[in-house]
Amino acid sequence: MKSFEIGIGGISLSLALFVDVTNSKELLELMQAGTLEPEVAFLNASLVPVVFPVLAAAYKTLVAKSRESLTTRTLHSELVYNYSGSKHISESLKRCGISDSTTYILAARFGASSDEMTAIKGHIKGTEIGLDELETRADRAQIHKHYKISVPELGISSVSDAIICRISARDAL
Amino acid sequence: MKLEGIEGSLILIKQGAEARVFESNFVGRRSVIKERFSKKYRHPLLDSKLTLKRLNAQEARCLTKARKLGVSTPALYAVDPLLHTLTFEYVEGPAVTDVLLEFGLHGIVEERLDDIATQIGDAIGKLHDGGLIHGDLTTSNMLVHNEDKAVDLYVLERALLSMHSSCGNVVSSHHGPYPCCIQEILKAVVCNIEQASSSATKRKKTHNDRMSSSPFCPPGYVKVLCDFGVQ
């Protein structure tokens, strides 16, 4: 688990990575019922090659929150929505969030205390691993498909930068 | 200088006719913030068409398109519709202008010049094939990054215009003519600089004078050509 300063209002983002998760269905149900405490974002970790794009999505989320202009219902669902780089809300939450069969999850929470992070870890039935494993475990094919990254683009950019450009430019396109 | 509404201090690195560029930090990474400002002297009808919102959106779109075409640009980290700012990746490296100045002062490194010329030609070729018009092609808008890597077309001013491809596939897909043409232009540039600096004492003129734009020179791509006396 690691915390990152986003640079808005002094709020940090805590991230924790899990493999072999067996209760995704349960987590999804609890989340949709609104009874999962504390509030947390579950990202499909296969789409996360490195931490930086998640931080860019977090930045965008905090800016929107500070201006009272969230598109989705909660701060954490907004993070998942922003990470997708797509304007389609439900599709974004489905693709970048978790499904019943997801076993590889990145959990994220804004301004989390260590107690809160412990509580979140308690909910997840899986093994926590280091964030440095993101690179090797990322599903490149899935990333290229979801973000529609072309071969020429890969020649001049890292996957991380390609994702960030889509995250930041989405609302301008 | 503090940019209102943004946390942390910012350092102004350049001010152009349409925007100010600051150095900043984006979630721990060195970044560049480009802040556009409105021009109050403009005719209101024109101004409404050239709103900052539209220009920023245009720049974001064109940058995205350019990257898809395989043209190297700085990564876009954030767009702020309220403050009219764009946050980019900070790209390390000299502008092509400065590299040429170096050649003028200390001699041309043929290999390096060839490499830069080829990459410029490739990049412009890719833009044009994809229906994008840069609109402000000048060596001061190009950065040489990582010596052994690509030349990034980084633009400080409003730059990329999108062209509808309704005229069909007019532009040929091979980039043959571009590298040669640009090679010649760059060589001419360097010769002019050498000439200017060698007779500097006699005519009391520095190479900067040669490089300054003529007031009668049309903007954009042609600027490069007329500055350096090439037809």
Side-chain angles (χ1 to χ4, degrees), chain A residues 96-162:
Chain A
C96 296
I98 58 167
S99 67
D100 287 352
S101 54
T102 311
T103 58
Y104 180 38
I105 298 177
L106 180 66
R109 178 168 166 79
F110 286 101
S113 65
S114 50
D115 283 346
E116 285 169 338
M117 282 318 283
T118 312
I120 290 170
K121 289 178 201 183
H123 288 306
I124 302 171
K125 293 203 177 86
T127 317
E128 188 182 354
I129 55 171
L131 294 172
D132 45 292
E133 294 212 38
L134 280 169
E135 199 180 343
T136 44
R137 292 176 183 267
D139 187 338
R140 305 255 151 197
Q142 211 188 17
I143 293 173
H144 296 171
K145 188 176 164 211
H146 174 79
Y147 291 103
K148 298 191 180 71
I149 305 175
S150 64
V151 171
E153 187 171 356
L154 287 170
I156 50 104
S157 170
S158 66
V159 172
S160 171
D161 283 346

Side-chain angles (χ1 to χ4, degrees), chain B residues 145-210:
Chain B
H145 181 58
N146 276 359
E147 278 309 324
D148 49 300
K149 278 193 179 178
V151 172
D152 296 347
L153 285 182
Y154 173 63
V155 190
L156 251 51
E157 301 275 312
R158 175 186 78 83
L160 305 179
L161 297 173
S162 194
M163 183 180 87
H164 289 295
S165 49
S166 52
C167 40
N169 202 11
V170 179
V171 184
S172 80
S173 55
H174 67 86
H175 313 142
Y178 285 103
C180 309
C181 165
I182 293 187
Q183 173 98 315
E184 290 313 310
I185 293 171
L186 293 180
K187 280 197 170 144
V189 168
V190 178
C191 287
N192 281 334
I193 297 171
E194 283 174 339
Q195 280 171 18
S197 45
S198 68
S199 49
T201 44
K202 263 196 275 176
R203 286 185 281 159
K204 285 191 182 148
K205 227 180 181 187
T206 66
H207 61 264
N208 283 323
D209 285 358
R210 291 300 293 240

Side-chain angles (χ1 to χ4, degrees), chain A residues 7 9 67 150 157 168 173, chain B residues 7 61 67-68 76 80 82:
Chain A
R67 296 172 185 174
S150 64
S157 170
S168 58
L173 294 178
Chain B
E7 290 182 19
R61 269 198 308 273
R67 293 188 126 240
K68 284 203 167 117
L76 185 63
D80 193 324
L82 209 72

Side-chain angles (χ1 to χ4, degrees), chain B residues 135-138 213-227:
Chain B
D136 191 15
L137 280 177
T138 149
S213 54
S214 147
F216 306 106
C217 183
Y221 176 63
V222 185
K223 180 181 181 202
V224 178
L225 302 179
C226 83
D227 269 355

Side-chain angles (χ1 to χ4, degrees), chain A residues 4-10 50 52 55-56 59 63 67 147-148 150 152-153 156-158 160-162 164-166 168-169 172-173, chain B residues 7 26-29 56-58 60-61 63-64 66-83 89 150:
Chain A
F4 300 86
E5 286 301 318
I6 305 298
I8 301 183
V50 79
F52 194 54
L55 303 181
Y59 181 89
V63 169
R67 296 172 185 174
Y147 291 103
K148 298 191 180 71
S150 64
E153 187 171 356
I156 50 104
S157 170
S158 66
S160 171
D161 283 346
I164 292 176
C165 284
R166 282 152 177 80
S168 58
L173 294 178
Chain B
E7 290 182 19
F26 182 78
V27 202
R29 286 217 191 160
N56 281 344
Q58 184 187 64
R61 269 198 308 273
L63 180 142
T64 306
R67 293 188 126 240
K68 284 203 167 117
L69 296 168
V71 177
S72 192
T73 76
L76 185 63
Y77 287 165
V79 175
D80 193 324
L82 209 72
L83 299 176
E89 156 193 15

Side-chain angles (χ1 to χ4, degrees), chain A residues 28-42:
Chain A
L28 208 54
E29 281 168 2
L30 284 173
M31 240 181 27
Q32 278 159 357
T35 56
L36 188 66
E37 287 292 328
E39 194 181 279
V40 62
F42 290 131

